Structure formats: structure tokens, C-alpha cells
């Protein structure tokens, strides 16, 4: 018995290649069709009814290492629930029937329930003309089994494997019993979210929110093929556009002497380059005047790799393909660092793709269905896709290669909390295996180890992991943590090639910094309910719309803002959520069953094409703000010195601020101030005092009576839904901040309860920044390069507004509030602080 590692980015169907003659038909599975019945999914796709025992994903599953002889082992298998420590049911008929490779929780499997442990069983016969045992070996390949697997042939254990997203290959030759019927049994265990294993969005039970029904057991194709005793076990291909060459490494299993590898690249029937060399070493295959792969021209070369012996006799031959492209960065005319494809700036306009199906869950019902989602991305004008915390079968990447879509590939997350210490090495192993297995797919342009801090246990470790991935694959971008500003993130490690913010509804607008480009890693999420096409009969989104026309308008307006973010802030990519609804998430372009289109796709395509055309790094003229009112008093000054009454007078312009809900004057930092109870009390000026479309500053003395996980607002101005800005205590960070919704310039340390602090928040439209000063010193900055609309709501002291509601009431005392119609300088802010005013 030989235990093989996963074949490296295995074999290929290139553009124009077909499955080899005599190889396409699926082998009839044991008991084909007997006793198996598909379940009834809550929603059915147009492909659901096309799936049956004789055509369960019959395509050759490994498009980058193809062979002429193979046999598909998908189809009806026997199935049974398993217990820990249970004896292998050799030569025993199992009671149930399951359709492989659909996960057992899916309707297409016929089981439609979760089991922690399970047995699969079937028989097979090796074709005599494969000559297994006569110089040929038999390999059985598993595309993926979630999560722990053991494989038995004729009662002999031939393999174990851990990992739900990577494949494994098993040489079963020595376990065969002659040439007759052979027995294949697979044991699988999947505890899903009860462990620290990588699971992506899977949960044992859907939460009716952003986590979905899990997928257990065999969920990708199982197949077998004969290989010579010495055979090509893997191909690694890396384009070298600058050198007009393909770097190629062919690994060989089984040994042998005087073996050579010969690789031939073709453009159709024309040979463009050949190379011969030693197995296991990097070879350079010349590709003169290469035709470059891009979304507009996804050209792929055919590749044939042959293993020959010392007498130049062919030992093994595999087919493959490759594309010539280079992903990197370049500065635009505006001086901002941006993503470049083949040396030219190209905005990556991506759709978020979770890869779930109502009938097959993790497994698309058919290859046509797998391709369909990507075809819609292309038809809508997207040039990229973020594969969100899931790894797809190889044919998904093949279709992305052929269609011309740039892929941002996530590592599937573990649970949202820190990965337990005893699971961290496993996570890293699976991450590097994902990179290894997929390193030859042309379409993949970026690796994303972490999403929104899920699973992160340490910011330094995250940075190290990003460095490790970059060292493993220096030819692609590494996005250390998508949504580094969000959720469970431990903060920016400063590593990788990308600064990635999430903002719903967004778009996010981080600015490039140093040698890192910036992207909007998630935004959008507008939803629409569609009767009879919802998994739970209902659902939600980040913002629900009443009809398709409104949904389309909201999308177009949101994407127009992406252009502004790209021009003003320098983002190089944006990722909209999402291609389809998933369970209770109703924010797709299409319903979960792919039966209903929810937007006017002509308008979608038009604005998407506009983004790619205009977000090119050209110079944008940013309007210069007026000089503003000189001096340190400001356009408005509330000393809050009144000793009685319910009105605070503005000593500059005569604007009164009403004390609301019992707010009261008390002794404060300078004479009197106003005490607020954190529940409902605040001061309302009755009108907008700041022009939020230009530069402004807000200053105040504040003393907190508590500093916990709740937000508290010192000064803000109401907008249509959220405050235009917040000078605040951020409960999420337990630090002072100058903020927009989703963007915070944070102080470095937590403030002390009962201590007076001087806060100044500055909005600088030219630099595209928010700045926070604490006690006269710069405490934090944040990129806020998007222009704001003009004022619409009242300036208020002691509360904010979010989601249309009053929120974040100050629990403490405020004093000496100044408002300015310009961005104060650092020297002016120090003077204001030292003046105690």
C-alpha cells in the first residue's frame, strides 16, 4: 500500500480541450438506482430534477492533470450511521442508500440529515485492459470528504485523511483481491462547529442568519484510474510574463531511473514551446510573445507533459493547460498604489460567492450549475469573484479560468472566536495545502487567510501567517485579513499586500498605505423578498427594499459611490454582497434557487462597466475648502456656564442649545458644564451648525462616568439615517474616537472614568482624513476620503444617531464645546487645550 499526498494542482482540460475519448462515461455504481430516492429540498433549482444515479457529476473532475483512462465512482452507495469505535462493516450490506458526491444533509443525497459519523460502501471492478498489477497501479481519488476520513479496500485500511476542503489520492493496488469485485468502504466524521476545524459558513444547524446548514461526508467526486508504477503525480505551473516563459515542475511518484519530463505548450495545433528536464526540478518552458490572459481575453494554452525513460519511451502522459498573466501593483497618475494585471491598473470589481445550493448544499447539482453562477458574474459586468470562506471543486476554477474572472480565494474560517491552541497548526496546514493545490489556476489572484477576525488568535500570528503564504506563493497578492476594521479582528497586522475594510451598506473607503493597496472587501447587501423562493419563507438583508426597481436603483447608487471611493480614496477593488440569496440572507442578484432575477441586469452591467473604465488611477481634482473663520473661538461656542434653566447659550452666534429630558448644569472643568445620564438626556441646538460637505472641527471637554462596551457620543450632527460624524467614546474599542459610520480614528488607550479629557475631532477633506486629538496631542487618524453630503439634521451634544434612531447617549459631563468651519491645525489644537477653554 502506498499513501499518496494530494496530487499537486492536478491535470487539465484547457480551452478547447475535451475529455479524452473512452474516458467520459461514468462506471455503473453498485446497485445503481436501487433503493435511492432524492429528498425534497425547501427550494429546487432548474438542475435538481436532472440529477440521478447515472449522472451524478460525471465530468472528469481534475482539469489540470487529465488521463485517458479513468472511471467515475460517483453514484449510489450504501450508507449507515456510524458509532465511534465501531468495527468496519466489511462484506455487510448497509441499510440506506446515498447519492455520492452530495453531502448527506442535502436533498440530493437522499439522506437529508446530519450524522456525526457515517459509513459509505460500494463495490467496483477494475477493467482488465487497465492491466493493474502488470506494471500499472490503481489510484482512487477523493475530491473532498468532510472532515476526518478513513478508507478501506477489501477490509484493509489504505488511507486516513483530515481536512474537509482538500483532496487526497490513495494507491489501493496492494489491497485488491484478484480481478473480480472489490469492496470500497469510507468512514467519515464531521463534528462541524463542535470543534476547532475549518468550516467556513457551515453550522450543524443554520442560525437563520449568516451561517448555514453544514455539509458532511463525501461532497466532491470520487474516481479511480490506472497509473504506471512511475507516474506523474503533480504539476505546478507559474507564468513568468516578463521572461516569456512558464515555470513548470512535474513531480513523479514511484521512482525509476533515467526518467525525464518533456512538456509541450500549444496554441491550438501550433507548438509554441517545449522543454525537457529532470522530474521534481523547476523547468522553464519558453512562450515567445505570450498571449496574455485577462478578463477581456482569457486565453489559455494547452499543455501536454510526458514522462519518458532512458530509451525515450513514453512512461506516462497527462494533459493540462495554463494562462500567462501577472498580478501585481502599480502607482496611478494620482500617485496612489493600485492593483495591476499584466502591468496595467485594472480595478477588481467582484461579486461575493458563498457557494451554497438549496438542493446540494456544498455541492452544485451539476457542472452546468457550477458554471452558471460564474457566467452570471461575467454577464453582469463583473471581472472578479471573491470565493467566500469555501474552497470549490477544481472545475469551478477551470470555468473561472476559461470565462476570465479574477478570483480572491478565502481560507475557510473556523468558528468566529479564536481557534483553540490545539487546532491552530491544523488550520495553517490546511491553509498551505489550499494554496498548494490551487497554485496553478490562472484565475486566482489573491489569497485571504482570515475574514473579519474569525478564528484569529493573535495579531502577530496573523501577520506571520500572511508572510508565510506570501513566501509560499510570491506571485499573488495576500490579503491577511479581509474586514480588518470589523467584528472579531485583532487589528491591522501591517502585513500582506492589501488593506481591506468591510462596510455595509458602504462602500468602504480605506486608502492605500506604503506598499499595500486598499480594497473594499465587502459592501452592499441590499435585499428583496421573493415569495415562494425563500428558504425559510422569510429572511433579511442589511437593508430591505420594497421592489425590484428600488433594489436596482439602490445598487446603482451604491456602485456609483464605488467610483468615488476609487477616485478619491484609491481603492483597487470592491466586493458586492452577493451573487445569490443564501438561506435567510436575501441580498442576492438571484434567489437561492437561481429561479428569479431580482434586479434589472442591464442597469447592473452598465454601472459595473463604468466602474472598471473610470477607476483607473487617473488624477481626480479634489475641491479646496474655503479658509473658514479664523481664531480659536469657532463659529459656535457653548461654554455651558449657565447656573440654571434649560437653555445653553452660544456666545458667538446666539444659537441656543436646549437641555433635553432633564439634563442639568453642574460644576465642571471650567465653571459649569452639563451632566448627562447616559439614557435619554442630551442638548439639541435645533439646527445643523456645521457644513459637513466641507472641512470642520469639533472640540469639547468631557468626563466619563463609565467606560464599558457601550458607545457614548460627545458631539455629533444628525444625518438622514446616521450621524454625519461622531466625536465619541467607542465601546467596541473602549477608546475615544472621531468617527463616521464604519470609520474611526481611535485613541491608543482606554480613558479613565472620572478624569477630564480635551477632545478635538477634525474632518480634512483634502487629505481625506479624520483626526482625533486628546489633550492637545494627535491620538489617531483614519482614512475618510469620500466626500460627504451637506447637512440635513441638527447638531447635538451628548447623543448620536444610527439606523434612523437616537443612540449612544453620553454618561458623564461635557463642557466648553467649540465648533469650527475649518480643519484646525495641530498648533491651534495645542493652544486650545492649554487655554482650558
Amino acid at each position: 500500500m502506498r499513501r499518496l499526498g494530494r496530487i499537486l494542482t492536478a491535470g487539465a482540460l484547457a480551452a478547447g480541450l475535451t475529455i479524452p475519448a473512452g474516458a467520459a462515461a461514468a462506471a455503473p455504481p453498485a446497485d445503481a438506482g436501487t433503493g435511492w430516492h432524492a429528498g425534497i429540498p425547501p427550494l429546487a433549482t432548474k438542475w435538481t430534477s436532472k440529477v440521478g444515479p447515472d449522472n451524478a457529476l460525471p465530468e472528469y473532475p481534475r482539469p489540470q492533470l487529465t488521463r485517458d483512462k479513468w472511471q467515475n465512482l460517483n453514484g449510489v452507495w450504501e450508507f449507515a450511521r456510524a458509532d465511534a469505535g465501531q468495527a468496519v462493516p466489511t462484506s455487510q450490506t448497509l441499510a440506506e442508500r446515498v447519492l455520492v458526491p452530495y453531502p448527506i444533509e442535502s436533498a440530493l443525497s437522499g439522506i437529508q440529515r446530519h450524522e456525526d459519523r457515517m459509513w459509505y460502501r460500494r463495490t467496483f471492478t477494475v477493467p482488465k485492459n487497465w492491466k493493474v498489477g502488470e506494471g500499472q497501479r490503481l489510484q482512487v481519488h477523493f475530491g473532498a470528504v468532510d472532515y476526518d476520513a478513513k478508507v478501506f479496500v477489501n477490509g484493509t485500511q489504505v488511507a486516513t485523511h483530515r481536512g474537509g476542503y482538500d483532496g487526497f489520492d490513495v494507491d489501493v493496488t496492494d489491497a485488491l483481491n484478484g480481478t473480480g469485485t472489490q469492496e470500497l468502504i469510507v468512514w467519515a466524521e464531521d463534528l462541524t462547529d463542535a470543534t476547532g476545524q475549518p468550516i467556513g459558513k457551515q453550522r450543524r444547524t443554520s442560525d437563520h442568519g449568516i451561517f448555514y446548514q453544514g455539509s458532511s461526508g463525501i461532497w466532491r467526486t470520487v474516481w479511480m484510474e490506472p497509473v504506471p508504477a512511475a507516474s506523474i503525480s503533480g504539476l505546478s505551473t507559474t507564468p513568468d510574463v516578463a521572461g516569456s516563459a512558464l515555470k513548470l515542475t512535474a513531480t513523479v511518484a514511484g521512482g525509476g531511473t533515467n526518467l525525464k519530463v518533456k512538456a509541450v505548450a500549444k496554441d491550438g495545433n501550433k507548438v509554441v514551446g517545449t522543454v525537457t528536464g529532470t522530474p521534481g526540478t523547476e523547468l522553464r518552458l519558453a512562450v515567445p510573445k505570450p498571449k496574455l490572459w485577462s478578463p477581456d481575453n482569457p486565453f489559455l494554452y494547452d499543455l501536454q507533459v510526458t514522462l519518458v525513460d532512458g530509451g525515450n519511451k513514453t512512461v506516462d502522459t497527462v494533459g493540462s493547460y495554463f494562462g500567462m498573466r501577472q498580478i501585481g501593483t502599480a502607482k496611478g497618475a494620482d500617485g496612489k498604489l493600485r492593483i495591476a494585471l499584466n502591468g496595467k491598473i485594472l480595478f477588481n470589481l467582484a461579486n461575493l460567492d458563498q457557494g451554497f445550493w438549496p438542493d446540494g448544499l456544498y455541492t452544485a447539482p451539476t457542472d452546468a450549475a457550477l458554471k452558471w453562477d460564474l457566467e452570471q458574474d461575467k454577464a453582469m459586468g463583473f471581472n472578479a469573484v471573491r470565493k467566500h470562506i469555501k474552497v470549490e471543486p477544481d472545475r469551478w476554477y477551470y470555468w473561472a479560468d476559461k470565462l476570465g474572472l479574477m478570483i480572491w480565494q478565502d481560507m475557510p474560517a473556523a468558528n468566529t472566536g479564536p481557534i483553540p491552541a490545539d487546532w491552530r497548526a491544523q488550520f495553517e496546514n490546511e491553509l498551505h495545502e489550499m494554496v498548494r493545490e490551487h497554485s496553478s489556476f490562472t484565475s486566482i489572484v489573491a489569497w485571504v487567510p482570515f475574514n473579519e477576525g474569525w478564528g484569529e488568535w493573535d495579531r502577530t500570528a496573523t501577520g506571520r501567517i500572511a508572510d508565510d503564504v506570501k513566501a509560499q506563493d510570491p506571485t499573488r497578492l495576500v490579503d491577511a485579513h479581509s474586514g480588518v476594521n470589523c467584528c472579531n479582528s485583532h487589528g491591522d497586522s501591517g502585513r500582506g499586500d492589501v488593506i481591506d475594510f468591510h462596510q455595509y451598506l458602504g462602500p468602504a473607503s480605506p486608502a492605500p498605505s506604503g506598499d499595500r493597496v486598499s480594497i473594499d472587501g465587502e459592501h452592499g447587501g441590499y435585499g428583496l423578498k421573493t415569495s415562494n423562493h425563500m428558504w425559510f419563507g422569510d429572511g433579511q438583508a442589511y437593508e430591505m427594499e420594497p421592489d425590484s426597481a428600488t433594489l436596482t436603483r439602490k445598487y446603482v447608487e451604491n456602485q456609483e459611490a464605488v467610483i468615488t471611493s476609487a477616485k478619491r480614496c484609491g481603492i483597487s477593488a470592491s466586493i458586492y454582497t452577493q451573487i445569490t440569496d443564501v438561506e435567510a440572507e436575501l441580498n442576492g442578484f438571484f434567489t437561492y434557487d437561481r429561479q428569479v432575477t431580482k434586479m434589472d441586469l442591464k442597469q447592473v452591467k452598465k454601472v459595473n462597466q463604468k466602474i472598471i473604465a473610470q477607476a483607473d488611477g487617473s488624477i481626480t481634482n479634489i475641491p479646496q475648502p474655503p479658509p473658514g473663520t479664523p481664531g480659536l473661538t469657532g463659529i459656535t461656542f457653548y461654554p455651558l456656564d449657565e447656573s440654571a434653566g434649560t437653555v445653553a447659550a452660544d456666545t458667538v452666534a446666539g444659537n441656543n442649545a436646549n437641555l433635553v429630558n432633564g439634563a442639568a448644569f453642574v460644576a465642571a472643568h471650567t465653571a459649569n458644564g452639563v451632566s448627562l445620564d447616559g439614557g435619554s438626556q442630551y442638548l439639541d441646538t435645533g439646527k445643523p451648525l456645521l457644513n459637513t460637505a466641507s472641512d470642520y472641527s469639533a472640540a469639547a471637554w468631557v468626563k466619563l462616568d463609565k467606560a464599558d462596551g457601550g458607545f457614548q457620543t460627545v458631539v455629533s450632527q444628525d444625518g438622514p439615517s446616521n450621524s454625519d460624524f461622531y466625536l465619541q467614546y467607542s465601546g467596541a474599542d473602549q477608546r475615544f474616537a472621531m468617527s463616521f459610520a464604519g470609520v474611526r480614528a481611535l485613541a491608543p488607550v482606554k480613558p479613565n472614568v472620572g478624569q477630564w479629557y480635551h477632545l478635538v475631532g477634525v474632518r480634512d477633506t483634502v487629505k481625506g482624513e479624520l483626526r482625533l486629538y486628546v489633550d492637545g496631542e494627535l491620538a489617531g487618524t483614519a482614512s475618510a476620503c469620500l466626500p460627504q453630503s451637506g447637512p440635513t439634521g441638527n447638531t447635538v451634544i451628548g447623543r448620536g444617531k444610527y439606523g434612523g434612531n437616537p443612540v449612544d447617549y453620553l454618561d458623564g459631563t461635557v463642557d466648553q464645546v467649540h465648533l469650527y468651519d475649518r480643519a484646525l491645525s495641530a498648533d491651534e489644537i495645542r493652544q486650545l487645550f492649554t487655554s482650558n477653554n
Side-chain angles (χ1 to χ4, degrees):
M1 184 273 288
R2 285 187 298 141
R3 173 70 175 94
L4 299 181
R6 172 59 172 158
I7 289 182
L8 188 57
T9 55
L13 291 175
L17 287 183
T18 59
I19 295 172
D31 299 322
T34 304
W36 172 82
H37 299 283
I40 301 174
L43 295 172
T45 69
K46 63 183 177 181
W47 303 278
T48 306
S49 62
K50 298 180 181 180
V51 177
D54 298 324
N55 68 342
L57 297 178
E59 297 80 13
Y60 193 87
R62 193 175 59 188
Q64 283 193 322
L65 199 153
T66 64
R67 286 193 170 90
D68 288 342
K69 293 179 180 179
W70 73 289
Q71 202 169 81
N72 200 320
L73 297 179
N74 291 345
V76 176
W77 292 42
E78 297 172 7
F79 180 84
R81 175 184 177 275
D83 293 317
Q86 182 180 356
V88 183
T90 305
S91 301
Q92 300 175 31
T93 300
L94 306 182
E96 298 180 88
R97 298 294 178 268
V98 62
L99 187 62
V100 170
Y102 302 100
I104 62 169
E105 293 88 347
S106 72
L108 288 178
S109 74
I111 303 299
Q112 213 167 2
R113 70 175 187 273
H114 173 79
E115 295 286 358
D116 284 352
R117 301 169 187 87
M118 64 213 79
W119 295 110
Y120 292 82
R121 179 182 180 271
R122 66 158 291 155
T123 60
F124 65 94
T125 302
V126 182
K128 291 183 179 180
N129 65 355
W130 285 10
K131 297 182 179 180
V132 171
E134 304 174 33
Q136 297 287 311
R137 310 288 296 182
L138 182 67
Q139 287 185 2
V140 177
H141 305 282
F142 293 85
V145 180
D146 199 359
Y147 176 72
D148 283 295
K150 299 175 185 177
V151 181
F152 305 84
V153 173
N154 299 321
T156 299
Q157 183 170 323
V158 292
T160 62
H161 182 265
R162 165 165 279 195
Y165 297 95
D166 55 289
F168 58 101
D169 311 299
V170 190
D171 186 327
V172 303
T173 310
D174 296 337
L176 298 176
N177 289 333
T179 59
T181 300
Q182 316 289 331
E183 180 186 54
L184 174 61
I185 293 177
V186 177
W187 175 91
E189 178 182 79
D190 183 22
L191 305 182
T192 317
D193 47 338
T195 77
Q197 71 193 50
I199 52 177
K201 286 288 194 84
Q202 297 183 83
R203 295 297 183 268
R204 200 177 303 205
T205 303
S206 168
D207 71 346
H208 289 225
I210 66 169
F211 300 107
Y212 323 124
Q213 174 62 60
S215 293
S216 301
I218 299 171
W219 69 277
R220 291 188 197 153
T221 292
V222 184
W223 81 102
M224 64 181 184
E225 61 186 3
V227 300
S231 62
I232 299 169
S233 59
L235 294 177
S236 173
T237 58
T238 303
D240 178 4
V241 171
S244 298
L246 179 74
K247 295 188 286 186
L248 179 148
T249 302
T251 54
V252 171
T257 58
N258 299 319
L259 295 175
K260 293 290 184 181
V261 170
K262 181 179 180 181
V264 179
K266 291 184 176 182
D267 175 355
N269 294 322
K270 178 185 177 183
V271 174
V272 298
T274 64
V275 68
T276 300
T278 304
T281 62
E282 184 177 281
L283 308 177
R284 290 184 62 84
L285 193 161
V287 185
K289 298 180 180 179
K291 295 181 179 179
L292 300 184
W293 182 96
S294 71
D296 290 336
N297 182 35
F299 182 82
L300 299 171
Y301 290 91
D302 297 337
L303 180 66
Q304 184 181 71
V305 181
T306 304
L307 184 66
V308 296
D309 62 17
N312 209 33
K313 178 182 177 181
T314 297
V315 176
D316 191 18
T317 299
V318 296
S320 191
Y321 72 90
F322 65 93
M324 294 293 290
R325 64 101 185 92
Q326 181 184 41
I327 190 74
T329 61
K331 283 191 176 181
D334 59 1
K336 294 182 173 67
L337 192 68
R338 298 174 186 268
I339 295 172
L341 180 69
N342 302 325
K344 297 181 180 179
I345 291 172
L346 179 62
F347 192 85
N348 283 219
L349 185 66
N351 214 344
L352 190 81
D353 186 332
Q354 316 237 31
F356 279 77
W357 298 82
D359 44 15
L361 299 180
Y362 245 25
T363 306
T366 68
D367 190 61
L370 191 73
K371 179 183 179 184
W372 188 88
D373 281 3
L374 293 170
E375 289 177 314
Q376 306 321 302
D377 289 316
K378 193 74 175 180
M380 289 187 288
F382 291 98
N383 63 11
V385 174
R386 181 182 174 197
K387 176 45 62 177
H388 192 36
I389 51 179
K390 183 195 176 190
V391 183
E392 291 288 359
D394 286 355
R395 289 191 63 84
W396 188 87
Y397 302 95
Y398 163 67
W399 287 122
D401 288 350
K402 284 201 70 174
L403 292 168
L405 287 160
M406 297 178 288
I407 304 302
W408 288 65
Q409 178 61 52
D410 288 9
M411 172 62 192
N415 273 310
T416 54
I419 296 174
D422 56 347
W423 279 94
R424 293 170 188 171
Q426 178 66 23
F427 174 84
E428 293 190 47
N429 289 340
E430 291 189 39
L431 167 63
H432 290 293
E433 182 65 12
M434 178 190 77
V435 173
R436 186 180 74 85
E437 289 187 19
H438 297 83
S439 62
S440 295
F441 286 109
T442 309
S443 53
I444 297 176
V445 298
W447 305 112
V448 187
F450 288 98
N451 174 72
E452 295 182 349
W454 299 353
E456 274 191 287
W457 60 91
D458 177 81
R459 180 173 13 183
T460 301
T462 297
R464 173 188 58 77
I465 289 168
D467 290 345
D468 290 347
V469 172
K470 189 68 176 182
Q472 182 182 6
D473 183 3
T475 70
R476 291 179 171 90
L477 302 175
V478 176
D479 182 353
H481 17 213
S482 185
V484 70
N485 64 318
C486 178
C487 314
N488 293 16
S489 173
H490 286 256
D492 187 2
S493 69
R495 310 306 301 161
D497 304 298
V498 182
I499 302 167
D500 179 334
F501 281 14
H502 293 179
Q503 186 175 335
Y504 289 99
L505 301 158
S509 55
S513 177
D515 58 357
R516 295 192 296 166
V517 298
S518 66
I519 76 165
D520 157 52
E522 287 181 32
H523 78 284
Y526 295 94
L528 178 67
K529 295 182 180 181
T530 311
S531 297
N532 302 317
H533 295 275
M534 295 182 287
W535 180 258
F536 293 116
D538 201 357
Q540 68 282 322
Y542 292 94
E543 180 180 297
M544 297 300 297
E545 309 306 337
D547 50 50
S548 177
T550 305
L551 180 66
T552 301
R553 177 176 58 81
K554 288 281 191 174
Y555 176 80
V556 171
E557 291 172 352
N558 190 255
Q559 293 298 83
E560 290 279 359
V562 170
I563 299 175
T564 305
S565 185
K567 288 186 172 183
R568 294 284 292 264
C569 307
I571 64 169
S572 289
S574 71
I575 300 167
Y576 184 84
T577 304
Q578 61 187 331
I579 177 69
T580 72
D581 296 349
V582 184
E583 294 193 3
E585 287 193 60
L586 304 182
N587 47 17
F589 290 97
F590 304 92
T591 53
Y592 192 19
D593 55 13
R594 280 77 166 170
Q595 300 277 14
V596 178
T597 302
K598 298 167 71 175
M599 295 189 203
D600 178 352
L601 298 189
K602 290 183 179 178
Q603 294 187 55
V604 169
K605 182 176 183 179
K606 183 178 179 180
V607 71
N608 286 352
Q609 290 176 327
K610 182 179 178 181
I611 293 169
I612 295 171
Q614 294 188 7
D616 59 357
S618 54
I619 294 174
T620 300
N621 293 321
I622 298 176
Q624 296 296 308
T629 304
L632 291 181
T633 303
I635 58 170
T636 297
F637 173 39
Y638 294 103
L640 304 181
D641 282 345
E642 286 83 350
S643 59
T646 60
V647 175
D650 166 16
T651 64
V652 177
N655 301 306
N656 290 332
N658 293 315
L659 278 64
V660 180
N661 294 330
F665 293 105
V666 296
H669 181 266
T670 303
N672 291 334
V674 174
S675 175
L676 304 171
D677 65 1
S680 63
Q681 297 175 349
Y682 66 102
L683 290 84
D684 190 339
T685 69
K687 59 184 177 181
L689 300 177
L690 294 174
N691 178 13
T692 48
S694 186
D695 287 5
Y696 54 88
S697 302
W701 285 91
V702 65
K703 180 181 70 173
L704 302 179
D705 290 341
K706 67 177 181 181
D708 55 14
F711 283 77
Q712 301 180 54
T713 303
V714 182
V715 182
S716 69
Q717 185 164 289
D718 292 342
S721 179
N722 304 325
S723 295
D724 288 330
F725 73 92
Y726 308 82
L727 184 60
Q728 66 179 175
Y729 167 80
S730 168
D733 309 282
Q734 298 199 12
R735 289 177 275 169
F736 287 127
M738 174 61 173
S739 308
F740 290 164
V743 179
R744 297 175 197 144
L746 287 165
V749 296
K750 181 177 180 177
N752 297 319
V753 170
Q755 179 177 331
W756 281 101
Y757 294 92
H758 186 249
L759 306 183
V760 181
V762 176
R763 166 59 168 155
D764 186 330
T765 59
V766 176
K767 288 188 176 180
E769 281 186 344
L770 294 180
R771 294 192 289 271
L772 173 70
Y773 292 79
V774 178
D775 291 346
E777 299 298 327
L778 181 64
T781 63
S783 171
C785 36
L786 292 178
Q788 284 187 290
S789 59
T792 58
N794 295 351
T795 305
V796 293
I797 300 168
R799 73 150 176 83
K801 183 180 180 183
Y802 190 81
N805 299 310
V807 294
D808 306 341
Y809 291 90
L810 177 65
D811 192 342
T813 306
V814 62
D815 196 4
Q816 304 292 107
V817 177
H818 292 263
L819 301 176
Y820 302 87
D821 58 354
R822 58 191 178 87
L824 291 182
S825 70
D827 285 342
E828 288 176 315
I829 291 170
R830 280 191 289 271
Q831 292 174 37
L832 185 62
F833 167 65
T834 56
S835 72
N836 282 319
N837 291 320

